[in-house]
Amino acid sequence: MRTRMEIVRYIEPGAQSPRVGLRRDGKVLPLPWASVAELLRESRDELRERLTAAGDAEVDADAVTFLPPVDGRTEVWAAGVTYERSRTGRVEESSEASVYEKVYDAERPEIFLKSVAWRVVTDGEPVALRSDSTVDVPEPELAVVANRFGEIVGYTVCNDMSSRSIEGENPLYVPQAKIFSGCCALATGIRPAWEVPDAGDLAISVRVRRGEEVVFSGDTSTARLHRTLDELVAALFAPTDFPDGAILATGTGIVPELSFSLAEGDRVEIEIAEVGTLTNPVVRGREPMSWLVDALDRPDARRKAQL
């Protein structure tokens, strides 16, 4: 059986600073980089060689707290309307439906900034609903991890939280519908790109639990993407430098009917084959996410939600 390998960011009990490691077989192997941002300054070939040559001093994965696998100047961006179902869903909700029909087939994809590193949450931590939003959904997405050269070096799971009511009111409100405290979650691990046999054909599933009941579920595959991963990354990097790399969520192919909305207390569970899982409880408003400000300078103070 092939050993599953993931790049992780973590902090040990009593430590003041996070570390970067390689998680496999329930152990974490510390790596020589001080941050994920520093790791993403390496070329793909250099990174693969250094990970292969990593030592064998390990710590127990159960003894550490895993942090979002993004830090420093690395940013999280997102692509929109990259699946046919996403186009259909946006047309249904929007007062300006033609905008979404046009961008689906346009040469230029929709790409927008999703989050700076310190606002990202990870597995077990809450995602949020805006207090002024009435229709809110999770968006399960494959996230591509690119180094500073624009090379795809890894993949992770993203929940691109979205307010359908705000975006539907006016497409110019997209930043407000997409960017807020608790809007972006990433799985704890980054799967090296060479460990994933075919990123163009990965099963994606989402389940929303309300108590013991599954109130929404959906499935899709990256094979249904309208654009290739390389095309999306190339569009992101074409006008902009990313000295510490970037993470690009590649859009969702699972959009609930407009009658569905997330509620406070729900639990969102996402799984992407060969990549990982991501589970987050749902809160409402800004205040339940205020701990992120404290965690900015004190990662050891990160609060883990009880699932």
Side-chain angles (χ1 to χ4, degrees):
M1 176 181 285
R2 184 161 55 95
T3 299
R4 184 183 178 89
M5 178 189 302
E6 296 173 298
I7 298 165
V8 294
R9 182 169 163 261
Y10 67 98
I11 189 164
E12 297 177 83
Q16 297 300 311
S17 300
R19 301 193 68 171
V20 178
L22 199 61
R23 181 169 59 196
R24 59 190 178 196
D25 297 331
K27 301 290 184 180
V28 178
L29 168 67
L31 293 172
W33 296 281
S35 65
V36 175
E38 182 180 305
L39 178 150
L40 292 177
R41 296 171 199 160
E42 305 274 1
S43 72
R44 176 179 166 128
D45 289 343
E46 289 169 339
L47 177 59
R48 184 171 187 175
E49 182 178 346
R50 294 187 69 181
L51 288 179
T52 302
D56 57 4
E58 298 177 328
V59 296
D60 192 335
D62 292 333
V64 305
T65 297
F66 291 104
L67 308 174
V70 59
D71 52 27
R73 298 176 297 181
T74 306
E75 301 163 353
V76 181
W77 287 65
V81 199
T82 54
Y83 290 80
E84 184 175 5
R85 176 59 188 131
S86 179
R87 176 183 64 172
T88 303
R90 297 296 182 261
V91 168
E92 290 170 352
E93 76 192 19
S94 181
S95 60
E96 300 291 340
S98 64
V99 171
Y100 298 97
E101 293 176 326
K102 289 177 180 177
V103 78
Y104 182 75
D105 289 315
E107 181 178 350
R108 183 190 302 274
E110 178 194 13
I111 297 179
F112 54 90
L113 178 67
K114 180 63 182 177
S115 182
V116 292
W118 71 268
R119 283 202 182 99
V120 177
V121 300
T122 193
D123 189 66
E125 297 175 341
V127 290
L129 315 175
R130 284 186 59 130
S131 59
D132 57 353
S133 177
T134 57
V135 181
D136 304 271
V137 292
E139 296 193 359
E141 305 184 17
L142 175 69
V144 171
V145 182
N147 63 13
R148 68 181 177 125
F149 306 104
E151 299 173 309
I152 297 175
V153 297
Y155 305 100
T156 191
V157 183
C158 179
N159 182 357
D160 170 15
M161 294 285 287
S162 181
S163 166
R164 295 189 74 183
S165 54
I166 292 175
E167 182 177 0
E169 185 177 344
N170 190 318
L172 294 179
Y173 295 160
V174 165
Q176 297 174 71
K178 291 286 192 176
I179 306 171
F180 50 89
S181 294
C183 72
C184 181
L186 297 177
T188 56
I190 296 172
R191 289 279 281 143
W194 51 90
E195 292 279 313
V196 179
D198 183 5
D201 189 14
L202 301 175
I204 301 175
S205 66
V206 62
R207 305 288 180 268
V208 177
R209 298 186 185 275
R210 190 165 294 163
E212 297 302 315
E213 182 184 2
V214 175
V215 293
F216 174 76
S217 64
D219 300 272
T220 190
S221 167
T222 57
R224 297 179 181 175
L225 271 166
H226 184 58
R227 305 176 191 268
T228 70
L229 301 178
D230 287 332
E231 288 172 345
L232 292 172
V233 172
L236 175 64
F237 275 74
T240 307
D241 287 319
F242 293 95
D244 294 338
I247 297 177
L248 176 62
T250 56
T252 187
I254 304 172
V255 181
E257 299 299 322
L258 271 172
S259 58
F260 173 82
S261 179
L262 285 170
E264 186 173 15
D266 287 352
R267 185 172 66 184
V268 180
E269 303 171 349
I270 300 171
E271 181 174 2
I272 301 181
E274 296 288 340
V275 177
T277 61
L278 175 62
T279 300
N280 303 98
V282 178
V283 298
R284 177 173 288 278
R286 173 182 170 187
E287 181 58 31
M289 300 303 303
S290 62
W291 57 272
L292 278 171
V293 177
D294 295 330
L296 176 60
D297 295 319
R298 294 185 55 228
D300 60 315
R302 262 194 115 88
R303 297 192 316 196
K304 281 295 195 179
Q306 296 295 316
L307 301 181

